[in-house]
C-alpha cells in the first residue's frame, strides 16, 4: 500500500497514467478536500476515463462542504483524467493497492482450507 496525493488546480488537469511495466495499479481514492483560497464559489471535481462521458465525483462548497469522502477504486487500463470546475484547487488523497495480478491457484487453495476449518 503506497500513499498517494495530488492537488488538482483549476484550469489544469491531472492524468493518472498506467505504467505498463508495473502492471495495472489499483488506486483507492479516499477523499477530496478543498484547497486554500478566498473564492466562495463551489469547486466541482470531475473525472474522465478513456473516451466515456465525464463523471462528476463531488461538489465542494467553501464553509459548507470542505471535504468529501469518496472511497472509489480505479483499476483502469485507460487514462483517468481529473479536473476541477471552479475557482479553487482540490486535493485528492488515497493509496495504491498494488498491482492486480488476478488469482493464483495457491491463493484459491488457501482460501478453501480456511473455509473448511471454520
Amino acid at each position: 500500500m503506497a500513499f498517494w496525493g495530488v492537488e488538482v488546480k483549476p484550469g489544469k488537469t491531472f492524468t493518472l497514467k498506467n505504467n505498463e511495466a508495473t502492471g495495472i495499479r489499483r488506486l483507492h481514492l479516499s477523499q477530496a478536500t478543498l484547497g486554500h483560497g478566498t473564492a466562495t464559489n463551489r469547486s466541482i471535481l470531475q473525472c474522465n476515463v478513456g473516451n466515456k462521458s465525464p463523471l462528476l465525483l463531488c461538489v465542494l462548497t467553501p464553509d459548507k462542504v470542505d471535504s468529501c469522502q469518496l472511497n472509489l477504486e480505479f483499476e483502469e487500463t485507460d487514462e483517468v483524467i481529473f479536473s476541477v470546475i471552479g475557482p479553487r484547487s482540490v486535493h485528492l488523497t488515497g493509496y495504491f493497492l498494488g498491482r492486480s495480478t488476478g488469482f493464483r491457484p495457491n491463493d484459491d487453495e488457501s482460501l478453501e482450507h480456511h473455509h473448511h476449518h471454520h
Side-chain angles (χ1 to χ4, degrees):
M1 204 171 82
F3 179 79
W4 177 84
V6 70
E7 180 182 4
V8 185
K9 298 194 168 95
K12 298 210 167 97
T13 58
F14 172 80
T15 304
L16 183 67
K17 289 191 173 75
N18 273 310
N19 181 349
E20 287 173 16
T22 57
I24 295 171
R25 293 193 299 181
R26 281 160 54 214
L27 172 68
H28 181 104
L29 183 57
S30 308
Q31 185 169 293
T33 308
L34 208 52
H36 296 297
T38 51
T40 53
N41 296 359
R42 62 189 189 171
S43 288
I44 301 169
L45 176 66
Q46 177 179 288
C47 100
N48 285 64
V49 179
N51 51 14
K52 302 188 187 83
S53 309
L55 298 170
L56 300 180
L57 297 184
C58 67
V59 179
L60 297 171
T61 309
D63 302 327
K64 289 199 185 80
V65 183
D66 288 327
S67 77
C68 164
Q69 295 285 330
L70 291 169
N71 293 321
L72 297 170
E73 252 179 54
F74 292 93
E75 186 179 2
E76 304 294 346
T77 45
D78 293 311
E79 291 184 344
V80 180
I81 301 167
F82 295 101
S83 54
V84 173
I85 305 162
R88 279 162 74 164
S89 69
V90 174
H91 293 260
L92 303 180
T93 50
Y95 50 89
F96 284 110
L97 294 163
R99 86 175 78 164
S100 163
T101 51
F103 285 109
R104 290 182 295 282
N106 301 347
D107 295 350
D108 290 346
E109 277 170 32
S110 57
L111 287 175
E112 279 166 30
H113 289 315
H114 288 305
H115 288 308
H116 291 311
H117 289 307
H118 292 307

